[in-house]
Amino acid sequence: MNPVKVGICGLGTVGGGTFNVLQRNAEEIARRAGRGIEVAQIAMRTPKPQFQTTGIAITNDVFEVATNPEIDIVIELMGGYTVARELVLKAIEHGKHVVTANKALIAVHGNEIFAKAREKGVIVAFEAAVAGGIPVIKAIREGLSANRINWVAGIINGTGNFILTEMREKGRTFEDVLVEAQALGYAEADPTFDVEGIDAAHKLTILASIAFGIPLQFDKAYTEGITKLTTADVNYAEALGYRIKHLGVARRTDAGIELRVHPTLIPADRLIANVNGVFNAVMVNGDAVGSTLYYGAGAVVQGRADGVAVDHHRV
Ligand code: HSE
């Protein structure tokens, strides 16, 4: 059978990692998918000689990928709302399936994008948009499909969790750790998204939509960041037997579904209080299963051009 032909738009931190994994694990992926996956085209703003792209069509115009009759699936990994929205809608219009890791795009324009995809009979997949490498969307959609979900709560921003961890463990200042998080490639292009809770609210909006079957309503989420926290706050919490974690919480209430992102005191002996560094964890409570926990790397490291994950955690 002919391979599925994919076009990657954006070869930055996430795009580069995706490209490398598709190349390195091509055999494994083909065995599981039942068909090979061939990267047939890449759109990138500037040439990236560190990637082996011989035989792959290269362009700097993402819309060429969206309209290329050879391409079956467009992978949008550019980030941002404006061009990404136009690209995804154009790709759908041309009958392509779309894969995106763009949480902002899905949270803000997802209703429009999914309506268009339904009309055209194509799929828009976005597993990596929430909690990085943790397949939590599939877990809620498929693994917990028989449950009525009561609540979802999690650490869903790696940058914020890294900052709070370093402040607590090493007594470092907020500003100092943020600079490092940016250098390590954890943070968004605009790190305000991370530290003011906007990125977490994007992800929570998506989780809530899937868990509760509601439209995406990013503007309804209560959003509070971690910028007002000081090392003293973190230390006082520790002295009282708590950890400060920046949580996203979505739960059923009598008045409807509540969405909130804010710093939270959690008893230090709870599992989620011990999720440290750039790691994410999402707890999902279903009426049949009770509470479940999904844990893993929440952000990728810039410059990991070989696409190999680093496991910072001892299990
Ligand atoms: N800036 C995001 C984070 C990247 O720190 O979680 C992954 O979505």
Side-chain angles (χ1 to χ4, degrees):
M1 200 184 283
N2 288 337
V4 177
K5 294 200 173 179
V6 305
I8 298 179
C9 298
L11 206 64
T13 307
V14 183
T18 304
F19 175 67
N20 282 328
V21 169
L22 285 173
Q23 304 294 89
R24 192 179 75 238
N25 296 347
E27 232 173 81
E28 281 292 300
I29 294 168
R31 180 173 63 75
R32 294 199 183 104
R35 248 177 108 175
I37 296 180
E38 180 189 324
V39 178
Q41 192 170 26
I42 298 175
M44 54 181 141
R45 269 189 303 216
T46 48
K48 301 264 167 59
Q50 68 267 39
F51 295 100
Q52 176 47 259
T53 55
T54 315
I56 299 173
I58 302 293
T59 173
N60 57 14
D61 177 5
V62 289
F63 293 97
E64 254 184 45
V65 182
T67 55
N68 181 347
E70 294 283 303
I71 298 292
D72 302 302
I73 302 175
V74 173
I75 307 182
E76 184 279 306
L77 300 171
M78 309 178 301
Y81 309 86
T82 318
V83 181
R85 172 180 163 273
E86 283 170 35
L87 169 75
V88 166
L89 290 173
K90 174 80 82 181
I92 294 171
E93 190 63 47
H94 282 76
K96 321 263 181 235
H97 302 291
V98 173
V99 177
T100 178
N102 190 334
K103 53 265 163 129
L105 177 72
I106 297 295
V108 176
H109 297 297
N111 295 326
E112 177 191 21
I113 289 170
F114 294 124
K116 186 91 185 162
R118 264 194 302 276
E119 186 190 312
K120 290 287 171 183
V122 297
I123 295 166
V124 177
F126 51 94
E127 180 64 67
V130 179
I134 312 172
V136 66
I137 290 174
K138 198 165 181 80
I140 298 175
R141 267 202 176 139
E142 296 180 25
L144 303 179
S145 58
N147 285 258
R148 185 170 197 264
I149 304 298
N150 295 318
W151 52 261
V152 178
I155 296 168
I156 45 181
N157 182 267
T159 302
N161 202 43
F162 176 68
I163 293 173
L164 292 177
T165 304
E166 291 287 304
M167 285 170 78
R168 184 179 61 79
E169 288 184 351
K170 300 182 187 153
R172 295 174 65 191
T173 62
F174 179 94
E175 293 76 17
D176 173 36
V177 191
L178 176 58
V179 169
E180 193 192 349
Q182 287 179 277
L184 289 168
Y186 298 159
E188 295 301 298
D190 176 358
T192 316
F193 277 46
D194 297 288
V195 294
E196 292 298 359
I198 301 161
D199 178 74
H202 285 147
K203 294 164 178 168
L204 186 68
T205 302
I206 298 171
L207 284 175
S209 170
I210 293 160
F212 303 110
I214 56 173
L216 294 147
Q217 299 171 84
F218 167 67
D219 51 339
K220 300 274 170 59
Y222 170 77
T223 305
E224 186 185 328
I226 56 169
T227 44
K228 294 194 186 84
L229 294 174
T230 62
T231 312
D233 295 317
V234 172
N235 292 342
Y236 280 131
E238 184 82 352
L240 294 168
Y242 291 86
R243 299 268 164 87
I244 300 177
K245 290 292 175 191
H246 197 204
L247 290 191
V249 180
R251 64 180 186 105
R252 285 184 195 280
T253 72
D254 292 340
I257 306 297
E258 177 183 85
L259 269 70
R260 52 193 166 87
V261 173
H262 53 79
T264 311
L265 281 172
I266 302 178
D269 60 353
R270 298 277 170 83
L271 271 177
I272 204 151
N274 291 283
V275 171
N276 290 317
V278 75
F279 280 79
N280 283 190
V282 183
M283 291 185 76
V284 184
N285 181 281
D287 66 341
V289 73
S291 291
T292 58
L293 177 68
Y294 308 88
Y295 169 81
V300 287
V301 183
Q302 197 166 42
R304 297 286 317 161
D306 53 5
V308 180
V310 191
D311 201 340
H312 301 280
H313 195 72
R314 290 186 296 276
V315 221

